[in-house]
Amino acid sequence: MSLMIFLFMCAENVLSLHIPNFCPHCGSDRIISKVPQGDERMRAVCKDCHTIHYENPKVVVACVVRDTELRYILGKRSIEPRIQTWGFPQGFMELNETTRDCAARETIEEIGIVIDPSKLSLLAIYNLPKQVQIVYEAKIDSQSAEKHAQSTKECSEINLFHIDNLPPENEIAFPTVIWALHHAHHRRDISHVQQRTKLYDGKTWKVITDDDIIENA
Amino acid sequence: MSLMIFLFMCAENVLSLHIPNFCPHCGSDRIISKVPQGDERMRAVCKDCHTIHYENPKVVVACVVRDTELRYILGKRSIEPRIQTWGFPQGFMELNETTRDCAARETIEEIGIVIDPSKLSLLAIYNLPKQVQIVYEAKIDSQSAEKHAQSTKECSEINLFHIDNLPPENEIAFPTVIWALHHAHHRRDISHVQQRTKLYDGKTWKVITDDDIIENA
């Protein structure tokens, strides 16, 4: 490994570790980052009560909704981040719900469409910085899609798009939306699950690595 | 919904929400559980700085390793929880790694087997309380399996088991181990991903709900 890459990885690790101001266990303000004994990674550790504050990736669940005319339903976000851009229903998974339930909840909340969690098909798993995104696919009939495609609390506008007529890339909320729509459109085998890792600089959306792996391709 | 079920769900929600002793942001000890404005769920909220401390499920990644003679490699755990019982490689996903990398890391750490992350096949997604478990499957040749099946820092013993000759159920670390081994053994289509939700009482391993859904079955 080159020194440059090693230094970049160290900087990346230190930058990405969140150090709380105060220890949630004992209230001390003496939290440091160190590698605890028997561990191999930097952690936030309280110097007073020695509690290790682990930080792990969060689960985001998303849903690609397609109608019988092969149109995809996207919402124009009226909430941050990426307000006023087009996205699919997605959000952080809550305690006491399942990934399927989370997909169905986000779908009703964001684009007003009721879907049956048991009918969802697993579409993709995307690894992003500090986040694992699990994407499901739902199919609904065109009449339902048109009837329910109206604004919600979280989206000022809902619209149906053919794959070759999507909004311009800079008006799409996140790269994962584009990946998932194209994967949904092109997978022939319903059970072909895409797994992809892209790490990007959140400000410029520049892709810095791409070790795309197509499951069972 | 019956009153009993409603009360059970409320109790479950309150019990499962973790309230920090001190606010990690401002150090106050006045953390309460409440539903913040515009939200629908109970959260730990600081009464002084009003920070909402979200709690989300963690990602656990596991790996079923099978050799060419259809034997599964399990390790006898020398670490808690469930010390001295048989399990497959699994652990919490770290920041700055992918689900595949995590599966490969846990496999070398727990059973001493080196696997290529790009060769892993997605096997199952299990929803457990406060946890999403993503299970991969790896195939290795019998010679490698036998050569490397020796103790590690985390497992006092490594062994190869045929599906009809597994250790007794009470000597298996977690229900997910049994689910995943049987699913790996019985799925014909390599891309058939099992998704299952079981909530159980961790003390008695009693299954309290089972809304098993087989993907594309």
Side-chain angles (χ1 to χ4, degrees), chain A residues 9 12-13 16-18 20-28 38-41 43 54-59 92-101 105 109 117-118 120-123 125 127-132 134 136 153 187 189-193 195 197 211 213-216, chain B residues 9 12-13 16-18 20-28 38-41 43 54-59 92-101 105 109 117-118 120-123 125 127-132 134 136 153 187 189-193 195 197 211 213-216:
Chain A
M9 286 174 68
E12 176 76 2
N13 192 24
S16 63
L17 186 70
H18 172 71
N21 299 332
F22 297 90
C23 173
H25 185 66
C26 76
S28 164
D39 202 334
E40 287 165 355
R41 284 164 200 268
R43 312 281 183 193
Y54 293 97
E55 191 187 357
N56 302 94
K58 287 194 182 352
V59 183
F92 289 110
M93 189 177 170
E94 300 282 357
L95 296 181
N96 300 319
E97 73 178 352
T98 69
T99 44
R100 285 174 186 275
D101 291 343
R105 175 177 57 74
E109 282 175 10
S118 73
L120 291 173
S121 160
L122 185 65
L123 182 69
I125 295 182
N127 288 278
L128 300 173
K130 298 195 173 196
Q131 191 183 104
V132 176
I134 299 176
Y136 286 94
K153 216 169 75 180
R187 75 168 177 182
D189 174 4
I190 188 75
S191 57
H192 177 122
V193 179
Q195 295 184 83
T197 303
D211 55 355
I213 298 162
I214 303 296
E215 179 82 355
N216 311 315
Chain B
M9 286 175 68
E12 176 76 2
N13 192 24
S16 63
L17 186 68
H18 172 71
N21 298 332
F22 297 90
C23 173
H25 185 66
C26 77
S28 162
D39 201 337
E40 286 165 355
R41 284 163 201 268
R43 312 281 183 192
Y54 293 98
E55 191 188 356
N56 303 94
K58 286 194 182 354
V59 182
F92 288 110
M93 189 177 171
E94 298 282 358
L95 297 182
N96 300 319
E97 72 178 353
T98 69
T99 43
R100 286 173 186 274
D101 291 343
R105 176 177 56 76
E109 282 175 9
S118 73
L120 292 173
S121 161
L122 185 66
L123 181 70
I125 295 182
N127 288 279
L128 301 172
K130 297 196 175 198
Q131 191 183 104
V132 176
I134 299 177
Y136 287 94
K153 216 171 76 181
R187 76 168 175 180
D189 174 5
I190 188 74
S191 58
H192 177 122
V193 180
Q195 296 185 82
T197 305
D211 55 355
I213 298 164
I214 303 296
E215 180 81 354
N216 311 315

Side-chain angles (χ1 to χ4, degrees), chain B:
Chain B
M1 188 187 301
S2 81
L3 181 64
M4 275 301 286
I5 293 176
F6 178 70
L7 289 174
F8 172 76
M9 286 175 68
C10 293
E12 176 76 2
N13 192 24
V14 172
L15 281 174
S16 63
L17 186 68
H18 172 71
I19 309 290
N21 298 332
F22 297 90
C23 173
H25 185 66
C26 77
S28 162
D29 64 354
R30 303 203 306 154
I31 318 281
I32 54 165
S33 64
K34 64 175 250 187
V35 179
Q37 203 176 5
D39 201 337
E40 286 165 355
R41 284 163 201 268
M42 295 290 272
R43 312 281 183 192
V45 180
C46 177
K47 280 192 87 167
D48 290 316
C49 73
H50 309 295
T51 301
I52 303 169
H53 302 289
Y54 293 98
E55 191 188 356
N56 303 94
K58 286 194 182 354
V59 182
V60 166
V61 180
C63 191
V64 168
V65 183
R66 176 162 76 179
D67 79 355
T68 32
E69 291 175 33
L70 302 187
R71 294 176 300 181
Y72 297 90
I73 307 180
L74 300 180
K76 196 174 215 176
R77 298 168 62 85
S78 53
I79 48 170
E80 292 290 0
R82 299 285 292 155
I83 192 165
Q84 295 297 336
T85 59
W86 293 92
F88 53 21
Q90 63 170 357
F92 288 110
M93 189 177 171
E94 298 282 358
L95 297 182
N96 300 319
E97 72 178 353
T98 69
T99 43
R100 286 173 186 274
D101 291 343
C102 182
R105 176 177 56 76
E106 292 291 345
T107 303
I108 179 83
E109 282 175 9
E110 294 197 19
I111 60 172
I113 304 277
V114 178
I115 51 173
D116 178 350
S118 73
K119 297 275 170 59
L120 292 173
S121 161
L122 185 66
L123 181 70
I125 295 182
Y126 297 132
N127 288 279
L128 301 172
K130 297 196 175 198
Q131 191 183 104
V132 176
Q133 198 167 121
I134 299 177
V135 187
Y136 287 94
E137 186 182 15
K139 287 176 181 158
I140 62 169
D141 66 79
S142 300
Q143 281 188 323
S144 293
E146 281 165 17
K147 185 178 163 198
H148 294 281
Q150 46 194 305
S151 65
T152 61
K153 216 171 76 181
E154 298 185 17
C155 290
S156 59
E157 199 180 329
I158 316 284
N159 227 323
L160 294 87
F161 298 93
H162 282 286
I163 195 73
D164 50 7
N165 203 20
L166 293 175
E169 206 159 310
N170 65 345
E171 289 176 24
I172 291 204
F174 309 106
T176 49
V177 176
I178 301 171
W179 308 345
L181 294 183
H182 280 98
H183 178 57
H185 202 74
H186 292 111
R187 76 168 175 180
R188 302 251 159 72
D189 174 5
I190 188 74
S191 58
H192 177 122
V193 180
Q194 183 181 56
Q195 296 185 82
R196 176 173 276 201
T197 305
K198 284 198 184 184
L199 304 176
Y200 57 88
D201 170 347
K203 282 180 192 155
T204 60
W205 302 97
K206 185 187 163 200
V207 173
I208 55 173
T209 73
D210 183 1
D211 55 355
D212 197 3
I213 298 164
I214 303 296
E215 180 81 354
N216 311 315

Side-chain angles (χ1 to χ4, degrees), chain A residues 21 24 26 28 39 48 52 56 62 70 72 86 89-90 97 99 103 107-108 111 121 148 150 154 156 166-167 172 176:
Chain A
N21 299 332
C26 76
S28 164
D39 202 334
D48 290 316
I52 303 169
N56 302 94
L70 301 187
Y72 297 91
W86 293 93
Q90 64 172 355
E97 73 178 352
T99 44
T107 303
I108 179 83
I111 59 170
S121 160
H148 293 283
Q150 47 194 306
E154 298 185 17
S156 59
L166 294 174
I172 292 207
T176 48

Side-chain angles (χ1 to χ4, degrees), chain A residues 46-67:
Chain A
C46 176
K47 280 193 88 168
D48 290 316
C49 73
H50 310 294
T51 301
I52 303 169
H53 301 290
Y54 293 97
E55 191 187 357
N56 302 94
K58 287 194 182 352
V59 183
V60 166
V61 179
C63 191
V64 167
V65 183
R66 176 162 76 180
D67 80 354

